[in-house]
Amino acid sequence: MNKKTFTVLVMLIATVLNIALTLVLITALITACVILLHLVIRTESPGAYMGASMICFIGGVVVDMILYSKIFIWCIRKFNLGPKLDPKLMGKYYDTLKQQAKASGKPIDEGKPEKLKTVMPKSVLPEEDEWEGSEEADSFPKLTDAD
């Protein structure tokens, strides 16, 4: 499995986990808010519940974005995924890792770079010219400037 394939696979798994984390956070915040409104404040106004639900939804998404970034960077460091992931596809996460590495003085193990192979089509490869009558070509008289 090459770096790009592994990176796409990791990103797909991380996306599914991010969606699950978002749903859990939003559900927990809305539940806490409903309990707070019902038991502590003792309000029966549907507008209060709707407003609180919208605030909890937006708050859950914001908290999820912050947590997701922190958790994803932690997983990359913990399981040493830096050399296995493609830096071009990782974007901001790879840049954040490099900044943290500079601050801590520990370099990121990027692994050895892949040696690229040049593959040229057969139409542009040099051909060996095999003249059947190459001896005949030498037997022709050579033209000079006097001719």
Side-chain angles (χ1 to χ4, degrees), residues 63-81:
V63 170
D64 174 66
M65 286 190 294
I66 294 168
L67 279 177
Y68 174 74
S69 294
K70 302 281 185 195
I71 291 171
F72 194 66
I73 290 172
W74 176 81
C75 286
I76 291 173
R77 283 196 176 279
K78 173 77 175 165
F79 300 111
N80 194 23
L81 297 177

Side-chain angles (χ1 to χ4, degrees), residues 1 9 22 45 49 53 65 98-99 103 107 116 128 136 145-146:
M1 186 180 312
L9 182 65
T22 304
S45 171
Y49 287 102
S53 296
M65 286 190 294
K98 287 197 321 193
Q99 289 173 356
L116 299 176
E128 291 185 26
E136 295 175 9
D145 291 334

Side-chain angles (χ1 to χ4, degrees), residues 21-35 56 60:
L21 179 64
T22 304
L23 293 175
V24 167
L25 282 172
I26 290 172
T27 304
L29 287 175
I30 288 177
T31 304
C33 201
V34 166
I35 290 172
C56 290

Side-chain angles (χ1 to χ4, degrees), residues 14-123:
T15 301
V16 170
L17 293 176
N18 185 23
I19 292 170
L21 179 64
T22 304
L23 293 175
V24 167
L25 282 172
I26 290 172
T27 304
L29 287 175
I30 288 177
T31 304
C33 201
V34 166
I35 290 172
L36 178 76
L37 285 174
H38 186 69
L39 296 178
V40 177
I41 299 176
R42 297 185 189 276
T43 183
E44 296 296 325
S45 171
Y49 287 102
M50 289 189 61
S53 296
M54 292 304 289
I55 290 172
C56 290
F57 179 80
I58 294 170
V61 170
V62 170
V63 170
D64 174 66
M65 286 190 294
I66 294 168
L67 279 177
Y68 174 74
S69 294
K70 302 281 185 195
I71 291 171
F72 194 66
I73 290 172
W74 176 81
C75 286
I76 291 173
R77 283 196 176 279
K78 173 77 175 165
F79 300 111
N80 194 23
L81 297 177
K84 298 172 186 132
L85 297 174
D86 188 13
K88 293 178 186 173
L89 296 177
M90 291 308 296
K92 70 173 186 170
Y93 300 109
Y94 195 74
D95 295 337
T96 304
L97 282 171
K98 287 197 321 193
Q99 289 173 356
Q100 287 179 356
K102 278 184 182 177
S104 68
K106 297 178 184 176
I108 299 175
D109 181 24
E110 297 180 14
K112 62 181 181 180
E114 294 179 13
K115 186 176 181 182
L116 299 176
K117 293 182 181 179
T118 305
V119 179
M120 299 174 63
K122 290 183 180 180
S123 62

